[in-house]
Amino acid sequence: MLKSFRTEIDPTEEQKHKINKTIGTCRYIYNFYIAHNKALHDRGEKFMSGKAFSVWLNNEYIPNHPDKLWIKEAYSKAVKHSMEDAYTAFTRFFKHQSCFPRFKKKSRSDVKMYFVKNNPKDCSCERHRMNIPTLGWVRFKEKGYIPTTKDGWVIKSGTVSIKAGRYYVSVLVDIHEHKLTVNFTQGIGIDLGLKDFAIISNGRAYKNINKSAKIKQLEKQLRRGQRSLSQKYENFKKGESTQKNIQKQMLKVQKIHQRINNIRTDYINKTIAEIVKTKPSFITIEDLNVRGMMKNRHLSKAVSSQKFYEFKAKLKIKCGDKGIELRVVDRFYPSSKLCHCCGSIKKDLKLSDRIYKCDCGYIEDRDFNASLNLRDATTYEIAL
Ligand SMILES: [Zn+2]
């Protein structure tokens, strides 16, 4: 089975130039192929397949039109692929599955730069960068979204695309070809929460980073900055401040936002890296009702600042990378209310009860008890 992964990349100016050029050439060739076949059809001549067109283009057309030599400057595998795409569009038309192929407009075009692994070094992928044919090493905007070569994954092919001035890479891997190279310890359960960020059934606990002095200090700066910004707006209306002052303050506020965001993301990445390093045979988490929690206005800020969504998405990818089974337990599974010792359910457990006390004599930290129950849950879905 082939699985696709996508992430934003951060190409250099030179790489951007190459990508733009290749995509431009691909669009040109795609449209040329359609126009050429349309002309053949109008003259009552035979339809040309993608392969035949390629031969004609390289052996006849370009040699007779030296002004079109620039076609050859683009990555040939990508250009060839655009002919195949156009050919597929015709095939669908002939099978009455779609209308006559349309030209791709520059403004609203979904043309992508296709690439394929041809040499052993092609498409090799590290945590922060990937080797794309003709482009060389291209950096990722964020780490951890593409399966790495070191972990035994083989990227067969992919595409580079542009959307709203941003660049993305999308890759295909065969998940059956993945070679596992890990020794597993037993599974673990993770209880995610607001008091602590995560409690692991192996005894590790990860604090809520938003309670750290650094974040608190930055949030204070942020509040002050925002207040000053609105003050400057007021003054601007009165003619006592300038547009430039407002923009300067706005940039200041944005920078603080960015710093807070970076600290939170780093924390998530580090936490996941540490958890996965212990090589558990499986990880069980709760299917948190994040959307529901966001509706609660007392909780929404605390929840969004913990980035649970991002944590889960990244954990899922990391588990996939490492061949760790990720189990997701239904949100109605009473992980907190269940006694890990005797299995009875404490119905009157309040959110404020930090210690779980059972009638059977069992006493444990509430979240740690929950993480043990998650680890031992027998009803779960496996996240793929
Ligand atoms: Zn009990």
Side-chain angles (χ1 to χ4, degrees):
M1 191 171 89
L2 288 171
K3 215 177 151 195
S4 105
F5 297 84
R6 181 172 180 268
T7 195
E8 190 175 349
I9 51 175
D10 188 14
T12 62
E13 286 307 315
E14 196 188 332
Q15 288 168 335
K16 277 183 191 170
H17 179 74
K18 271 190 188 164
I19 296 167
N20 294 341
K21 190 168 173 176
T22 304
I23 288 182
T25 308
C26 287
R27 185 189 321 112
Y28 178 84
I29 290 299
Y30 186 99
N31 289 337
F32 187 18
Y33 177 77
I34 289 173
H36 186 67
N37 267 313
K38 202 164 174 286
L40 287 177
H41 177 82
D42 292 346
R43 291 202 299 270
E45 287 176 42
K46 220 176 130 235
F47 174 79
M48 217 178 225
S49 74
K51 277 212 177 74
F53 179 78
S54 174
V55 171
W56 171 80
L57 184 81
N58 287 308
N59 298 343
E60 227 175 286
Y61 182 77
I62 295 180
N64 290 323
H65 295 79
D67 59 314
K68 294 289 192 298
L69 261 171
W70 53 266
I71 294 173
K72 292 230 171 207
E73 287 167 17
Y75 175 41
S76 65
K77 290 272 187 316
V79 175
K80 220 169 228 160
H81 196 77
S82 67
M83 295 177 206
E84 290 304 315
D85 273 348
Y87 176 59
T88 311
F90 267 110
T91 320
R92 277 207 294 271
F93 166 65
F94 291 141
K95 285 188 190 157
H96 306 287
Q97 287 169 340
S98 69
C99 55
F100 193 85
R102 260 177 242 161
F103 292 115
K104 302 250 186 206
K105 282 189 197 134
K106 191 174 178 182
S107 54
R108 262 191 17 222
S109 127
D110 55 349
V111 181
K112 293 168 181 170
M113 172 183 159
Y114 171 84
F115 59 83
V116 62
K117 186 179 173 72
N118 238 10
N119 297 301
K121 274 187 188 163
D122 283 350
C123 302
S124 55
C125 182
E126 294 173 8
R127 247 169 71 68
H128 64 295
R129 58 178 195 166
M130 178 183 171
N131 194 1
I132 300 178
T134 73
L135 297 180
W137 288 103
V138 181
R139 295 181 70 86
F140 298 137
K141 270 259 159 98
E142 239 187 279
K143 296 164 199 160
Y145 281 105
I146 307 284
T148 59
T149 311
K150 203 179 93 215
D151 288 326
W153 294 96
V154 180
I155 294 168
K156 293 277 169 109
S157 65
T159 56
V160 175
S161 58
I162 310 173
K163 204 172 177 189
R166 288 159 173 249
Y167 292 75
Y168 299 88
V169 67
S170 175
V171 303
L172 281 179
V173 294
D174 192 338
I175 58 172
H176 286 313
E177 277 185 19
H178 184 213
K179 292 168 205 78
L180 278 180
T181 50
V182 268
N183 302 313
F184 291 112
T185 57
Q186 67 161 333
I188 55 171
I190 305 178
D191 182 65
L192 294 170
L194 296 174
K195 186 179 162 272
D196 287 305
F197 175 65
I199 302 279
I200 321 286
S201 61
N202 62 14
R204 280 282 287 147
Y206 293 88
K207 288 195 187 106
N208 183 344
I209 184 86
N210 296 301
K211 290 181 178 172
S212 69
K214 186 78 215 161
I215 291 268
K216 279 189 171 162
Q217 182 206 349
L218 282 169
E219 282 193 321
K220 205 168 170 185
Q221 275 180 28
L222 185 65
R223 277 197 300 276
R224 216 180 289 144
Q226 278 164 337
R227 226 166 19 230
S228 155
L229 183 62
S230 58
Q231 190 64 50
K232 285 197 163 65
Y233 263 118
E234 289 306 312
N235 292 343
F236 178 63
K237 277 189 224 155
K238 286 187 231 154
E240 289 167 9
S241 182
T242 62
Q243 187 85 40
K244 211 175 170 185
N245 274 334
I246 293 178
Q247 264 161 4
K248 238 164 112 185
Q249 185 61 22
M250 206 132 68
L251 195 67
K252 237 186 206 166
V253 170
Q254 279 169 355
K255 275 192 179 154
I256 304 172
H257 259 304
Q258 194 64 48
R259 273 191 71 192
I260 295 177
N261 195 39
N262 286 347
I263 293 175
R264 286 174 180 155
T265 304
D266 274 355
Y267 187 65
I268 284 181
N269 293 346
K270 267 190 207 138
T271 305
I272 292 175
E274 262 191 51
I275 291 171
V276 169
K277 225 193 214 161
T278 63
K279 293 175 184 166
S281 57
F282 64 82
I283 294 177
T284 311
I285 54 170
E286 209 171 353
D287 182 17
L288 279 178
N289 181 9
V290 177
R291 205 167 291 161
M293 284 160 99
M294 294 294 284
K295 274 185 195 145
N296 181 333
R297 65 192 176 85
H298 297 293
L299 292 180
S300 68
K301 193 184 165 266
V303 171
S304 72
S305 66
Q306 299 246 65
K307 292 180 167 242
F308 288 130
Y309 258 131
E310 197 179 324
F311 176 80
K312 274 178 74 176
K314 283 184 172 166
L315 182 67
K316 196 170 138 187
I317 290 162
K318 203 76 208 174
C319 284
D321 261 17
K322 303 279 183 191
I324 299 167
E325 185 176 288
L326 181 63
R327 302 175 174 178
V328 182
V329 161
D330 196 80
R331 72 179 64 123
F332 300 111
Y333 175 68
S335 58
S336 299
K337 292 180 178 169
L338 204 63
C339 170
H340 185 253
C341 179
C342 72
S344 68
I345 289 179
K346 200 175 169 76
K347 282 205 174 115
D348 56 351
L349 187 81
K350 290 190 229 53
L351 203 61
S352 56
D353 295 337
R354 299 314 311 171
I355 301 290
Y356 186 96
K357 267 190 205 152
C358 182
D359 296 335
C360 74
Y362 171 84
I363 300 175
E364 192 50 88
D365 174 81
R366 171 212 175 91
D367 297 331
F368 186 61
N369 176 55
S371 75
L372 292 172
N373 286 328
L374 285 168
R375 182 194 67 193
D376 298 340
T378 50
T379 312
Y380 50 80
E381 269 184 35
I382 294 173
L384 281 177

